């Protein structure tokens, strides 16, 4: 089963540049193995095109390397903090997608002015305080600020998304960049109109309960 997760995490890491969510070697996807609690994550500084399942790093929740010849991502401490404090999360994804990160550079949340935002995210996309890279500071900000939303903008940095599975967290990352682009365009034309909170709640509940098969 761990080999299946390594293949899945490798696949979705390679999809990050394919969907325009990262450049060069930035960004990463991780997944938690439900049975063992071990975490599979992209190795640090490796080109996405070169990644293979056997290259994935496997660590425990304390950050000890269990499998892998390559060093795990420099964002590993962030991912592990989220996993330790959010037991329902099965995947964490970090990107620097342009439009969403533009809001992070401004230190602004993305307002809930589209039904797509209400459906997928259940409200505005929150913004964190500035946090230093490399230790647990970013993880603390995610846990404290993300709420029920599957995405958060890290001030002056980028994007983190979470999900019960790797595909779910990846969908949130793709959808976030799409709505961020639309809101950016809308702001260039005028002032986006926010959806009332009660309608956001109704739309999100309907989407969660009825959308899909």
């Amino acid at each position: 089963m761990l080999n299946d997760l390594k293949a899945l995490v490798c696949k979705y890491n390679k999809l990050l540049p394919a969907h325009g969510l990262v450049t060069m070697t930035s960004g990463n996807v991780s997944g938690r193995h439900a049975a063992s609690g071990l975490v599979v994550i992209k190795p640090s500084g490796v080109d996405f095109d070169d990644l293979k399942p056997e290259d994935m790093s496997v660590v425990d929740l304390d950050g000890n390397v269990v499998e892998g010849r390559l060093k795990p991502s420099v964002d590993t401490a962030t991912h592990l903090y989220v996993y330790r404090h959010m037991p329902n999360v099965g995947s964490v994804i970090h990107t620097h997608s342009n439009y969403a990160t533009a809001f992070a550079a401004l230190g602004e949340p993305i307002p809930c002015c589209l039904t797509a935002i209400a459906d997928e995210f259940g409200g505005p996309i929150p913004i964190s305080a500035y946090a230093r890279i490399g230790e647990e500071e970013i993880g603390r900000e995610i846990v404290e600020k993300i709420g029920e939303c599957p995405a958060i903008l890290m001030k002056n940095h980028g994007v983190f998304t979470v999900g019960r599975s790797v595909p779910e967290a990846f969908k949130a990352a793709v959808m976030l960049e799409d709505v961020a682009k639309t809101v950016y365009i809308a702001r260039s034309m005028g002032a986006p109109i926010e959806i009332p909170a009660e309608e956001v709640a109704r739309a999100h509940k309907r989407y969660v309960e009825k959308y899909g098969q």
Side-chain angles (χ1 to χ4, degrees), residues 1 3-4 16 26 40 74 87 105 107 119 131 137 145 158 164 168 170-171 173 181 184 189 193 195 205 207:
M1 290 298 295
N3 285 336
D4 290 344
L16 292 179
S26 68
V40 177
V74 294
D119 288 349
E137 287 91 337
K145 304 284 177 60
R164 291 167 297 179
E168 188 175 281
F170 185 79
K171 179 186 177 185
K181 181 177 181 180
Y184 171 86
M189 300 167 66
I193 301 168
I195 301 171
K205 183 175 186 294
Y207 180 78

Side-chain angles (χ1 to χ4, degrees), residues 95-106 153 156-159 177 180:
T95 80
H96 298 132
S97 58
N98 295 143
Y99 287 92
T101 301
F103 282 89
L106 294 171
L153 308 173
N156 302 118
H157 183 178
V159 172
E177 180 63 2

Side-chain angles (χ1 to χ4, degrees), residues 12-22 97 170 173-175 177:
Y12 278 91
N13 268 293
K14 293 169 84 71
L15 286 175
L16 292 179
H19 282 77
L21 302 179
V22 299
S97 58
F170 185 79
V174 173
M175 290 294 293
E177 180 63 2

Side-chain angles (χ1 to χ4, degrees), residues 44-211:
S44 178
V46 178
D47 192 283
F48 289 96
D49 287 340
D50 296 333
L51 286 176
K52 299 181 290 296
E54 57 266 31
D55 295 328
M56 298 299 103
S57 299
V58 181
V59 299
D60 64 21
L61 290 178
D62 295 318
N64 300 304
V65 176
V66 176
E67 287 184 29
R69 60 184 180 81
L70 302 174
K71 293 188 299 182
S73 166
V74 294
D75 295 311
T76 298
T78 294
H79 290 239
L80 296 181
Y81 189 91
V82 173
Y83 287 127
R84 289 197 302 271
H85 292 85
M86 300 180 72
N88 292 329
V89 169
S91 178
V92 178
I93 295 180
H94 174 42
T95 80
H96 298 132
S97 58
N98 295 143
Y99 287 92
T101 301
F103 282 89
L106 294 171
E108 295 183 11
I110 298 175
C112 192
C113 55
L114 298 168
T115 56
I117 299 176
D119 288 349
E120 186 69 33
F121 301 100
I125 314 302
I127 184 78
S128 77
Y130 178 80
R132 291 180 297 179
I133 300 170
E135 299 299 330
E136 295 184 344
E137 287 91 337
I138 291 176
R140 290 193 193 99
E141 278 295 305
I142 294 170
V143 171
E144 290 175 9
K145 304 284 177 60
I146 197 168
E148 297 300 316
C149 186
I152 185 168
L153 308 173
M154 302 306 301
K155 187 177 180 182
N156 302 118
H157 183 178
V159 172
F160 278 86
T161 63
V162 298
R164 291 167 297 179
S165 65
V166 177
E168 188 175 281
F170 185 79
K171 179 186 177 185
V174 173
M175 290 294 293
L176 174 59
E177 180 63 2
D178 184 63
V179 298
K181 181 177 181 180
T182 302
V183 175
Y184 171 86
I185 294 169
R187 282 173 49 148
S188 73
M189 300 167 66
I193 301 168
E194 295 191 45
I195 301 171
E198 62 274 15
E199 175 58 16
V200 171
R202 185 206 63 80
H204 181 64
K205 183 175 186 294
R206 180 181 181 278
Y207 180 78
V208 169
E209 293 178 354
K210 297 187 177 182
Y211 180 79

